[in-house]
Amino acid sequence: MIGDLGRTIRLGLKSLLLHKLRSSLTTAGILFGVASVIAMLAVGEGASQDALMRFRDMGVTNVLIRSKKPEETQQSSSSSGMSILGYGLFYKEADRIADALPSATVVRVREVQRGLMRSENWVSSIVIGTEPAFLPVTNMQIAEGRWLTDLDLSRQANVCVLGASLARALFPLENPIDQTVLAGTEDRFRIIGVLEYQGRAAGASGTTYDECAFVPMTSSRRRFGDTVRNLSTNRFEAVELHEIKVRLETSEEVESAAAVLRDMLLPKSDPAIGGMAPHVKAGDVEITVPLELLKQEEASKRMFNIVLAVIASISLLVGGIGIMNVMLATVTERTREIGIRRALGAKKKHIIQQFLVEAGVLSALGGLVGVGLGLLIPDLITRFFDQRTDVLPQHVLLAFGISAAVGVVFGIYPAWRAANMDPVEALRHE
Amino acid sequence: MTDSRPVIAEFVDVHRHYVMGDNVVKALAGVSVQVKKGDYLAIMGRSGSGKSTMLNILGCLDRPTQGAYLVGGRDVSRLSDDALSEVRGHEIGFIFQSFNLIPQLTVLENLEVPLFYQGRIGPESRAKAEHLATRVGLAGRLDHKPMELSGGQQQRVAIARALMNDPLFLLADEATGNLDSNTEREILDLLDELRAEGVTIVIVTHNAKVAERADRTLWLKDGTVECFVDNRKTQAVPS
Ligand SMILES: Nc1ncnc2c1ncn2[C@@H]1O[C@H](COP(=O)(O)OP(=O)(O)OP(=O)(O)O)[C@@H](O)[C@H]1O
Ligand SMILES: [Mg+2]
């Protein structure tokens, strides 16, 4: 039976090869349909994997609260000079959050821009003042030495942990552990550890934790103070905390925690009802919930897939009609062959089988070339547009399977016509 | 003298009527005939006398409107389409005027077609095809396409194909109509040889030279048997 199918396929190929041009033109519809489906799926998958990975890197059980510099108003910019712009999260707020969400881990983050110097090497970097829980909450690992401890914090120790890239920039040849590094002009820190390479963005700024140095929260406060001169605007800014990372125990808790935090920190539309936290100035806090972004991305991917399915169906429908058209022509042309086969003992089902196989082979051939093209296009897109693309094997199988199925489905009517010819008439056909 | 040979094919008062609107064309109007094993029967008659109609029923491509057609003793006149296909595939070997080889298939593949529909493709079918190709004088041509062969050679392939399923009888429709007279003679000689080996042959023809090779000629007229002619005695026997 399997051998018979193989024979039918082989002989079907022979018949198709009788009309090489016609057969190849017919498969073009299927070919481009399959190729575009694979390519579009690859681009969609790549883009969404990109986004998903970014959100996952932020931590799906985390809620990130960042201080955001408010839009500068007319008056504040005119009264520049020596005024200090104060905004963002306060130390107190981290405590309130910890009280409101007892099961959550709350991590305080201060970011201070400083030049770091080690002998002749100088790197402009961000010195992050934080606490021990930072490491588990960001899923980072220590490569060498150790991470910050509670003792470091309580002692306001002048110790620091380097990101992998920063460590390599400052210490290209030596082991950095127990060496010192100069932050700014006067603050000297002893290096106690180096982080594993991460390769992902820390925040909106685009810098990665690999390029940062980490010091105890308390040391950062004592050494650098709360007022920082913004080098680009040449103004003093007072920010207590740049970020508070809140880690929940499970992703189920994220939604309610995010609601609590928004309620607590974001300005209300109507202050009369809820009342705004008096010490939080409107619009200087931004709450990012990676899980929500993840879900949004998944929803938009579903939408994309629906659109794609519609496009794919249309192009495969067009391809299928092409197949049907050419199969009808084939059946008419080969009426006599059908008569001969019937005279030699073929049942109707054999004739149906034969033409269904031919239609299937025809569209599967188109599908096969389409798969080739569909694998090539994402590659070119990645190369020339620097857009991540992911070709999933199941997408390729799906597209190919559908193409073969299209041929069979659209081959049914021509095959049925062939099988139901009167053998006597068919034999008489010229 | 009693003839103990088994009856292979038998028409019992076969009618075939075509209904054309209000008209009924009686292409066959009560034909009875027996073909015994080893017979060589020719069917002749003027145009429109019902030869093709008779051949179609003999070949199980068509069914009688009335009457019975027995193949190997079994009435096939009421069989389903599938069952008729099986009878054709197992019991009948067709030879056509225009050879009717399938153009895109090689000689070997053409020869294997009847066995394919019986699920009997394999080393045996190949050996059989080789044997029969040699028998009809076409050894070494198995991988050729029909278009690469002459008309006579194509008809030899067709004859070999008709023998592939070891049929009860060969059914030839004007088998030499498309051939020149030399080739015609070669093909008729081949049929004679097969006949001598015990193959039963029924041939429909317009051509007296073809018919005289047969033992008997059945003359059709207006859908009825006009007479049988015994060619060995060359005298008409009224039906
Ligand atoms: N499919 C059909 N529909 C209607 N009438 C038919 C059909 N086939 C044959 N006939 C009629 O049946 C009669 C016998 O036709 P048939 O084809 O059997 O003759 P024939 O002896 O083969 O003639 P020829 O020598 O010209 O081939 C004719 O009158 C013909 O018109
Ligand atoms: Mg005729």
Side-chain angles (χ1 to χ4, degrees):
Chain A
M1 205 52 224
I2 296 295
D4 282 3
L5 183 63
R7 187 183 175 89
T8 310
I9 291 175
R10 189 168 57 79
L11 299 186
L13 266 171
K14 266 190 169 182
S15 313
L16 296 171
L17 287 175
L18 282 182
H19 301 280
K20 291 192 190 68
L21 181 64
R22 187 174 79 180
S23 298
S24 26
L25 288 178
T26 304
T27 56
I30 297 283
L31 190 160
F32 291 118
V34 167
S36 55
V37 168
I38 293 178
M40 284 192 278
L41 278 172
V43 170
E45 189 65 30
S48 107
Q49 280 305 323
D50 234 15
L52 294 183
M53 197 185 280
R54 219 170 47 241
F55 302 146
R56 226 169 268 138
D57 284 348
M58 294 182 195
V60 286
T61 57
N62 291 355
V63 176
L64 309 176
I65 308 156
R66 277 197 79 82
S67 297
K68 185 178 73 176
K69 195 171 157 182
E71 301 285 321
E72 286 204 47
T73 57
Q74 201 57 44
Q75 333 154 308
S76 67
S77 61
S78 60
S79 66
S80 56
M82 287 307 291
S83 74
I84 294 171
L85 178 66
Y87 64 89
L89 296 157
F90 297 106
Y91 296 114
K92 270 188 305 186
E93 270 162 337
D95 302 333
R96 286 178 55 229
I97 291 168
D99 289 344
L101 301 168
S103 69
T105 312
V106 178
V107 178
R108 299 154 182 83
V109 178
R110 274 170 57 75
E111 296 167 0
V112 179
Q113 193 158 7
R114 278 289 183 278
L116 297 182
M117 193 160 74
R118 164 68 195 178
S119 54
E120 72 271 25
N121 298 316
W122 186 91
V123 177
S124 169
S125 173
I126 293 171
V127 178
I128 293 178
T130 188
E131 43 196 347
F134 183 90
L135 198 66
V137 166
T138 51
N139 276 325
M140 294 205 285
Q141 257 80 46
I142 280 284
E144 254 185 288
R146 64 173 181 84
W147 177 241
L148 307 170
T149 61
D150 286 325
L151 194 61
D152 294 326
L153 263 83
S154 61
R155 281 184 178 164
Q156 305 183 351
N158 292 330
V159 292
C160 112
V161 175
L162 299 182
S165 312
L166 181 62
R168 212 174 315 115
L170 289 174
F171 299 93
L173 303 169
E174 323 152 66
N175 183 345
I177 304 292
D178 281 335
Q179 308 278 357
T180 58
V181 64
L182 190 65
T185 51
E186 52 198 18
D187 306 302
R188 198 166 279 282
F189 289 88
R190 185 170 60 88
I191 294 156
I192 55 168
V194 176
L195 291 172
E196 293 260 20
Y197 181 74
Q198 301 294 315
R200 47 175 136 103
S205 58
T207 53
T208 67
Y209 284 141
D210 297 317
E211 301 161 76
C212 296
F214 302 83
V215 301
M217 177 89 234
T218 49
S219 317
S220 164
R221 217 180 154 183
R222 197 178 93 168
R223 292 277 164 176
F224 308 135
D226 289 335
T227 307
V228 174
R229 199 176 68 174
N230 185 324
L231 295 172
S232 53
T233 56
N234 206 22
R235 284 187 62 187
F236 287 94
E237 294 175 0
V239 179
E240 294 191 357
L241 288 174
H242 291 83
E243 187 178 13
I244 298 174
K245 293 178 190 283
V246 180
R247 154 88 127 211
L248 286 315
E249 274 171 347
T250 63
S251 54
E252 281 81 53
E253 298 166 49
V254 169
E255 203 180 327
S256 59
V260 169
L261 292 171
R262 286 197 173 106
D263 192 50
M264 194 186 278
L265 300 172
L266 296 187
K268 306 257 176 355
S269 52
D270 185 356
I273 295 174
M276 204 189 302
H279 51 289
V280 174
K281 291 156 289 300
D284 65 349
V285 169
E286 188 175 56
I287 297 183
T288 307
V289 186
L291 188 68
E292 286 176 1
L293 296 175
L294 200 75
K295 285 183 173 158
Q296 274 165 25
E297 178 55 33
E298 276 165 358
S300 73
K301 188 180 163 193
R302 260 198 300 283
M303 195 61 219
F304 177 78
N305 281 345
I306 292 171
V307 172
L308 188 65
V310 171
I311 296 173
S313 329
I314 292 173
S315 69
L316 289 173
L317 185 76
V318 171
I321 291 171
I323 299 263
M324 181 151 149
N325 191 26
V326 90
M327 286 313 292
L328 283 173
T330 300
V331 165
T332 306
E333 270 170 20
R334 289 159 66 192
T335 300
R336 181 178 276 256
E337 177 188 329
I338 294 163
I340 298 167
R341 289 180 180 275
R342 295 282 275 137
L344 299 181
K347 295 176 185 171
K348 286 184 179 180
K349 69 164 193 207
H350 292 124
I351 302 296
I352 290 198
Q353 232 166 51
Q354 179 189 345
F355 285 98
L356 278 188
V357 165
E358 275 188 36
V361 166
L362 191 61
S363 60
L365 279 180
L368 211 60
V369 182
V371 165
L373 197 62
L375 293 177
L376 185 70
I377 292 172
D379 205 49
L380 295 178
I381 290 176
T382 304
R383 194 161 306 163
F384 292 113
F385 298 99
D386 195 29
Q387 160 75 51
R388 174 179 168 163
T389 54
D390 281 343
V391 178
L392 299 187
Q394 61 263 39
H395 289 168
V396 174
L397 280 179
L398 180 81
F400 180 71
I402 289 177
S403 73
V406 160
V408 173
V409 167
F410 284 85
I412 287 175
Y413 176 65
W416 181 87
R417 279 246 302 237
N420 282 286
M421 285 177 176
D422 176 16
V424 173
E425 296 291 331
L427 276 169
R428 207 184 290 156
H429 191 266
E430 246 342 292
Chain B
M1 179 188 122
T2 55
D3 187 348
S4 62
R5 289 176 304 157
V7 175
I8 280 172
E10 180 173 10
F11 267 29
V12 182
D13 190 32
V14 166
H15 290 250
R16 180 67 170 94
H17 301 170
Y18 292 104
V19 181
M20 312 280 288
D22 293 343
N23 274 23
V24 176
V25 179
K26 298 187 175 180
L28 293 180
V31 173
S32 296
V33 61
Q34 286 192 339
V35 179
K36 291 190 173 172
K37 185 163 168 49
D39 267 356
Y40 192 167
L41 174 72
I43 298 170
M44 291 192 76
R46 290 225 305 273
S47 186
S49 57
K51 300 187 296 297
S52 293
T53 308
M54 185 167 174
L55 178 111
N56 290 339
I57 295 175
L58 277 170
C60 292
L61 293 164
D62 193 9
R63 275 174 286 223
T65 313
Q66 190 186 313
Y69 173 36
L70 297 98
V71 177
R74 172 185 180 209
D75 187 359
V76 299
S77 50
R78 302 284 173 269
L79 289 188
S80 69
D81 188 272
D82 274 3
L84 275 183
S85 300
E86 260 177 52
V87 176
R88 291 196 294 271
H90 286 89
E91 317 290 13
I92 297 167
F94 282 93
I95 303 168
F96 302 94
Q97 175 170 0
S98 47
F99 324 134
N100 277 351
L101 300 177
I102 299 173
Q104 70 269 27
L105 304 187
T106 63
V107 167
L108 174 66
E109 286 161 351
N110 265 289
L111 291 179
E112 284 179 327
V113 170
L115 297 190
F116 175 72
Y117 293 121
Q118 299 176 23
R120 286 169 54 196
I121 293 290
E124 277 167 52
S125 67
R126 196 194 159 92
K128 183 153 199 180
E130 276 166 2
H131 168 74
L132 285 172
T134 311
R135 173 68 195 83
V136 299
L138 284 173
R141 299 297 181 109
L142 284 175
D143 294 325
H144 287 235
K145 289 281 178 68
M147 292 302 281
E148 298 159 13
L149 303 176
S150 70
Q153 287 171 325
Q154 288 189 47
Q155 195 60 303
R156 286 166 187 274
V157 175
I159 290 170
R161 181 177 67 183
L163 292 167
M164 281 295 285
N165 57 347
D166 299 309
L168 279 179
F169 62 96
L170 288 186
L171 190 56
D173 178 14
E174 211 63 91
T176 59
N178 285 11
L179 302 173
D180 62 62
S181 56
N182 278 338
T183 319
E184 174 177 77
R185 190 152 19 80
E186 284 169 28
I187 293 295
L188 291 175
D189 290 345
L190 177 59
L191 289 179
D192 279 350
E193 288 170 31
L194 292 173
R195 162 45 193 320
E197 291 166 18
V199 176
T200 311
I201 302 171
V202 177
I203 187 165
V204 172
T205 184
H206 272 111
N207 186 336
K209 272 207 306 218
V210 173
E212 72 194 15
R213 299 278 192 127
D215 309 330
R216 278 192 306 165
T217 304
L218 183 164
W219 281 88
L220 276 177
K221 187 183 179 188
D222 300 333
T224 58
V225 180
E226 186 182 21
C227 64
F228 283 101
V229 176
D230 189 328
N231 293 327
R232 283 165 303 187
K233 296 175 189 158
T234 328
Q235 87 185 67
V237 181
S239 65

